[in-house]
Amino acid sequence: MRSDAGTPSPIPGPPTRDDGAAAIAEAGGLHEYQLRLHAEYGPVVRFPLPGAGSAVSVADPVLLEATAKINKRPEKLFEFLAPLQESGNLQTIPADEHGPWRRVMLSVLAGRPSHEAHFARFTALAAEMADRWEAHDGPVALQRDLSELSLRMICQYALGSGLESPDSAARVVSAFETVLTEYMGQAGGETGGRAREALAYLRATVDQVLTAHRERGDSAPAGRSDLIAALAEAGESPARIRDTVLMTMLAAHHTTGVAISWTLYLLARHPDAAERVAEELDRELGDRSVPEYGDLRRLTYLDMVLRETMRLYPPGPYGAREATEDIELGEYTVPAGTTVFYPFWAVHTNPEYWPDPHRFDPGRFAPGAAAGRPRLAYIPFGIGPRGCEGAALATVEAQLVLAVLLKRFAFRPVPGQTVTPIERFVLWAAEDIHMTVTPRESA
């Protein structure tokens, strides 16, 4: 309730003596800091956020509904991405530009017919990586290898071209890491030659893809989902097309690769769940080593495991919007212009909606289990008009890759390693996740 008639209650939160950077660092990152804040102050918290002044974090899915239609991101929080883009920051472009651009993206990335059309090539890429793992002597680094695989898949799907080899994919992944790490660390200041060189390499790589697309012209197979062609047909400028390609490569390879990695990590820690996934794959696929597109809808337990993983380890651990008008959040009023912070991890572990929230339990996503939960209790791909355009594609890719790998291999964590989630544009593991991979028939 309000503090008195007509007067909003003050939003609780820690002291605001500085920009909050020291408190965030002491907590081990912004994702961990949010868990502490909401545990201490409740579902709505005011806190100092570097780059945004005072922000309001909302961990209650019912209250989040009041923010779900906001189509504006805080520009300062996304400045670190601006150097990757020459036509305006795609993460913060105004709503009147963003709406048409988003519709084009969804027309390409969310279409089931095009997912099915590319499924065989996705399967071949996943099987190729599995072959390399089987021939590899020693543990594999999940996040490194799976990010490279995801990058090759998104290039094949959205750009009409795959990166020619795992080595070229690895170099692109490394270049993205260099650019993001340095630009994020410099907070928009001067950067070193290594970052500029990496950015130049990324742009040259995208230019090669665009050139190949122009040379291919109308020779592409009918029905292919081609992001470049869709953007060109919509009248987007060449610079906007190149920026979109670059951001698509960045977002897709990071998020999908880490989601698959965290899933394998949790299954390795929960052998009963891993055995159940293996039994489902054997039952549905029989002697086939890889699934067909139609098999995915029957892999219900695998889907439950993936969803529960993204609840516990959301690939992007938080998001943000800027209130374009005053917002009522229960007893509180958030003024227009305020940064509204979405702490996905805190939402996903809100004990009011997720009993024993830190326990791995795929049964939370069994058919019918979501009936008693608010719509926004589970938001791994964000919410509203700035949510992830590639959510449907990412889910198909993750299900496919997990089916290929878990049908073929048993996974065992390397003894003695410590797996620590950190923020690195996505929820990364600090030293990767290293696994011993053994063919199931000999496990």
Side-chain angles (χ1 to χ4, degrees), residues 75 99 198 215 231 258 329 395 406:
E75 293 187 9
E215 292 175 349
L231 289 165
V258 298
L329 295 178
T395 301
L406 292 166

Side-chain angles (χ1 to χ4, degrees), residues 377-397:
Y378 179 68
I379 47 175
F381 295 106
I383 66 175
R386 295 276 177 169
C388 176
E389 292 84 9
L393 175 63
T395 301
V396 168
E397 290 179 338

